[in-house]
Amino acid sequence: MCRDGHILTNFIASQSVHEQYGGVVPELASRAHMQNIVPVVDTALKQAKVSLSEISAVAFTQAPGLIGALLVGAQFAKSLSLALNVPLIAVHHMQAHVLANLIPDNKPDFPFLCLTVSGGHTQIVLCESPLQLTIIGQTIDDAAGEAFDKSAKLLGLPYPGGPLIDKYAQLGNPKRFVFAEPQIPGLDFSFSGVKTSILYFLQAETKKNPHFIEENLADLCASVQERIISILLSKLKKAAVQTGIKNICIAGGVSANSGLRRALQETGLQQGWQVFIPAFEYCTDNAAMIAITGYYKLLAKQTTSLAVGASAKSDW
Ligand code: KG4
Ligand code: ZN
């Protein structure tokens, strides 16, 4: 929830029900959304000390994602906007990740580049104004978050493995093992080769020593993380050179990765960039990024008809 572009509360409900299944189960996600949505809105109003009559617009995530979960949010937002007689604002999840960079007082000047790295997307976005966002590079296969999670699975770690790789990597040697670096032209990314390279390497090593993974877990995590980060940063450097832009932001769940945050700061110093990294709570999926995007869309009078539906697809 936000007032005049300042976040009042970022209350969210996380769903731990999926952990035992090794991934998100769509039906369980929709059901949990239905159970959580009214209590979450109530708590957010209480935390922000705002009454329903003070709400001037309702923003919701319209796309992309799991359709059942999106529909729950869309129907609730439409009902609330109708009941309160205030504008409805449809927000694109990936645009909202980018605009999380506009939450702090220390905001990047436009134009800036944003590396958006989440469980489903990996994009370099050229941002010319809050609502003028252009994707100039993206993954042609797996997303960076998927690369973390799938590598973690190969290492026997539970879902979502990204934060665990981060944790173990802090104790390991990132130069110990070297995994394949994809050769993709332009500003696009590819991560599927990294996953395959890790798979074949682990198969060969565990044949020789069945305890190879547990004996080398920290070094394996550090080396996997090192490769994913090097792929991300080499394209980001290329994008900065091509566009001449030195204001560099990061967004999405993977931007919570401590190695990536550190490497981005170091690369920024080398390249003369001004680097902006959102607080952890605004990197992974959060409510504040939807509120701030709703705020900018309301300022631009980009409101949405009640006839709008939700969409699983990611076009924007
Ligand atoms: O943006 P997000 O919260 O949800 C999506 O929109 O996908 O991103 C989730 C992704 C997952 O793949 C998760 O493993 C990854 O972000 N992630 C991390 C870290 N925290 C979350 N990956 C590496 N290191 C982390 N610390
Ligand atoms: Zn996300």
Side-chain angles (χ1 to χ4, degrees):
M1 198 176 298
C2 77
R3 180 185 281 135
D4 301 331
H6 296 286
I7 299 302
L8 300 177
T9 167
N10 182 30
F11 186 68
I12 57 164
S14 300
Q15 302 182 3
S16 53
V17 62
H18 308 287
E19 276 162 23
Q20 59 187 301
Y21 300 101
V24 175
V25 183
E27 178 60 23
L28 295 181
S30 321
R31 286 189 210 180
H33 265 61
M34 280 179 57
Q35 283 165 351
N36 289 335
I37 199 152
V38 172
V40 163
V41 172
D42 273 345
T43 308
L45 287 165
K46 280 199 192 96
Q47 281 188 347
K49 299 192 176 56
V50 166
S51 68
L52 273 177
S53 61
E54 291 174 87
I55 299 289
S56 50
V58 179
F60 72 102
T61 306
Q62 194 253 337
L66 295 173
I67 193 66
L70 291 173
L71 281 170
V72 173
Q75 297 311 325
F76 182 83
K78 285 200 241 183
S79 311
L80 193 58
S81 110
L82 193 61
L84 300 177
N85 195 24
V86 296
L88 177 70
I89 301 168
V91 167
H92 191 285
H93 183 80
M94 299 314 295
Q95 289 185 342
H97 269 305
V98 175
L99 297 196
N101 283 287
L102 302 184
I103 292 174
D105 291 338
N106 174 30
K107 300 181 199 358
D109 285 334
F110 292 99
F112 63 82
L113 293 179
C114 183
L115 174 69
T116 316
V117 273
S118 73
H121 296 79
T122 302
Q123 302 172 334
I124 299 177
V125 182
L126 167 63
C127 311
E128 292 169 277
S129 74
L131 303 179
Q132 247 185 307
L133 309 179
T134 313
I135 299 168
I136 58 171
Q138 58 191 319
T139 183
I140 58 167
D141 43 51
D142 290 350
E146 255 177 302
F148 269 108
D149 296 340
K150 288 179 178 173
S151 305
K153 199 170 177 185
L154 295 174
L155 295 171
L157 300 173
Y159 178 87
L164 290 169
I165 292 204
D166 189 353
K167 187 177 140 199
Y168 292 115
Q170 290 173 29
L171 308 168
N173 172 5
K175 308 280 179 222
R176 172 93 186 278
F177 307 111
V178 177
F179 299 112
E181 179 156 24
Q183 304 299 324
I184 306 293
L187 298 178
D188 286 340
F189 302 88
S190 166
F191 289 99
S192 63
V194 180
K195 181 188 60 195
T196 314
S197 145
I198 295 165
L199 173 68
Y200 289 160
F201 175 73
L202 292 178
Q203 278 175 347
E205 293 299 325
T206 48
K207 216 181 249 175
K208 290 184 260 169
N209 169 12
H211 303 293
F212 177 78
I213 293 178
E214 65 231 53
E215 285 170 8
N216 296 284
L217 189 60
D219 289 347
L220 284 164
C221 288
S223 304
V224 167
Q225 182 171 295
E226 172 89 350
R227 171 53 75 225
I228 296 174
I229 293 173
S230 81
I231 295 171
L232 292 171
L233 289 185
S234 81
K235 292 297 173 132
L236 193 54
K237 275 195 243 172
K238 204 167 178 181
V241 169
Q242 270 186 25
T243 59
I245 294 174
K246 287 178 179 275
N247 285 332
I248 309 290
C249 299
I250 189 165
V254 179
S255 63
N257 181 271
S258 56
L260 178 58
R261 293 164 88 91
R262 199 172 41 245
L264 186 59
Q265 293 287 12
E266 285 165 11
T267 309
L269 283 176
Q270 287 160 9
Q271 305 286 321
W273 294 346
Q274 199 163 359
V275 170
F276 298 84
I277 301 182
F280 282 110
E281 59 176 326
Y282 302 138
C283 289
T284 45
D285 287 352
N286 67 87
M289 69 184 197
I290 308 300
I292 201 83
T293 308
Y295 166 73
Y296 283 104
K297 291 189 96 167
L298 186 63
L299 285 184
K301 298 195 170 46
Q302 289 190 17
T303 58
T304 310
S305 147
L306 283 172
V308 71
S311 167
K313 285 205 290 213
S314 76
D315 311 335
W316 58 330

